[in-house]
Amino acid sequence: MIEAAGQTCSQCGWIFDCESLMNNMCKNCKSPILVESVAHLEKFEESAIKKFIAFYSKTLKGDSRDRNALIAIGVCYLKLGLFNLCDKFLWTLIDSHPDHPSGYYYRALSVFKGKRPRTASLPVVREAEKFLITATELDLENGRYDATLAVIKHDYYVLNGMRVPSPDPDALIDSAVEKHIDLLEIVQVLGLLHIPDGPMFAKLVS
C-alpha cells in the first residue's frame, strides 16, 4: 500500500497547518508534534528543526531512554547533517529499545555521512545493509526498508558494474510495493543519500 502521507498528529490524526508546525503543537488535541521520520521535517528550515531538538532534549532530561525523544533528535540531527550527534542518539535508541526498527533504519542512512552510496566503500554499504535487514525483520509490514535497500544496492552495485547480492533491487521494490510505504519518506531518503530519482523510484511509483 503506497501513500504520500501528510504531516499529521500521531495522537488524533489532525492534519497540521503551518501554525501548528511552527508551534510544535497540534491545534486539535494540544499534543506536541512527534517527529518519527525525516518526512515530518520536509518543510522545516534549520532554525525550526533546532526547536524540535531543544524540545525533545528537555524530555530526555527527565528520561534519558525515552524512545520518541531519541528517535526525534536522531532524525533531526540526520536531517541537519550532524552525523556524529545523530549516531549518539541512534545508538542509545538501539541499546535502550533493541526491538524498535527506527534506530537501525536511520543508522543505515547515517553510515554514509551525507555521501552517495555509489561512492562509499563496500564495508560501509554492508553495514547499511545489515541495519536495514534488521529493521525489516522487526517491522515486516513497512516497505520503506526494502525500498531504501533497493536504491542503495542499485546505486552501489548496479551503477558500479558489480555483482549484486540477493535479493536484487527489483525484487526488493516488488516486496516494498506489497507493504505500507510512505513515498514522501522515500523522497527524503533519496535526498539524504544524494541519489537522483531513477529507475528504482520510477518502479516504486508505477
Side-chain angles (χ1 to χ4, degrees):
M1 176 184 174
I2 298 176
E3 63 178 42
Q7 291 167 296
T8 60
C9 177
S10 61
Q11 301 300 315
C12 70
W14 184 269
I15 299 176
F16 294 129
D17 56 18
C18 292
E19 181 182 352
S20 297
L21 291 170
M22 292 307 298
N23 290 331
N24 190 36
M25 181 175 291
C26 175
K27 290 169 66 175
N28 186 52
C29 71
K30 309 303 180 185
S31 298
I33 296 176
L34 179 59
V35 178
E36 295 180 302
S37 80
V38 289
H40 294 158
L41 300 175
E42 179 202 14
K43 299 177 181 179
F44 286 92
E45 296 180 353
E46 180 177 342
S47 59
I49 295 175
K50 287 181 177 178
K51 289 182 179 179
F52 282 112
I53 293 173
F55 175 84
Y56 285 107
S57 293
K58 292 179 181 178
T59 301
L60 288 179
K61 287 182 179 179
D63 180 2
S64 62
R65 295 164 56 91
D66 184 280
R67 188 184 70 184
N68 292 336
L70 290 168
I71 294 173
I73 295 179
V75 168
C76 285
Y77 279 130
L78 178 64
K79 181 69 173 178
L80 292 176
L82 300 174
F83 302 107
N84 289 338
L85 288 171
C86 170
D87 290 346
K88 172 186 174 182
F89 289 94
L90 292 181
W91 278 122
T92 302
L93 174 63
I94 290 171
D95 289 341
S96 302
H97 307 278
D99 59 343
H100 197 278
S102 291
Y104 306 97
Y105 176 58
Y106 288 113
R107 185 73 185 90
L109 303 179
S110 180
V111 298
F112 292 104
K113 307 296 184 186
K115 298 179 180 179
R116 186 171 174 175
R118 185 177 181 179
T119 66
S121 66
L122 180 58
V124 168
V125 174
R126 290 294 197 193
E127 186 178 10
E129 291 173 352
K130 178 186 69 174
F131 284 124
L132 288 167
I133 290 170
T134 301
T136 302
E137 292 171 347
L138 292 171
D139 187 7
L140 297 174
E141 300 304 316
N142 196 324
R144 67 179 181 174
Y145 317 118
D146 289 331
T148 301
L149 185 54
V151 297
I152 289 173
K153 282 190 168 185
H154 182 270
D155 202 62
Y156 181 75
Y157 295 106
V158 176
L159 295 187
N160 284 323
M162 302 170 67
R163 183 183 65 83
V164 183
S166 181
D168 63 32
D170 287 330
L172 287 164
I173 292 295
D174 289 340
S175 175
V177 298
E178 295 297 323
K179 304 175 183 179
H180 167 82
I181 187 167
D182 178 1
L183 287 181
L184 182 57
E185 168 88 7
I186 302 305
V187 169
Q188 291 292 301
V189 166
L190 291 174
L192 288 170
L193 297 176
H194 302 285
I195 298 176
D197 293 352
M200 292 298 97
F201 186 73
K203 185 174 182 180
L204 191 63
V205 299
S206 63

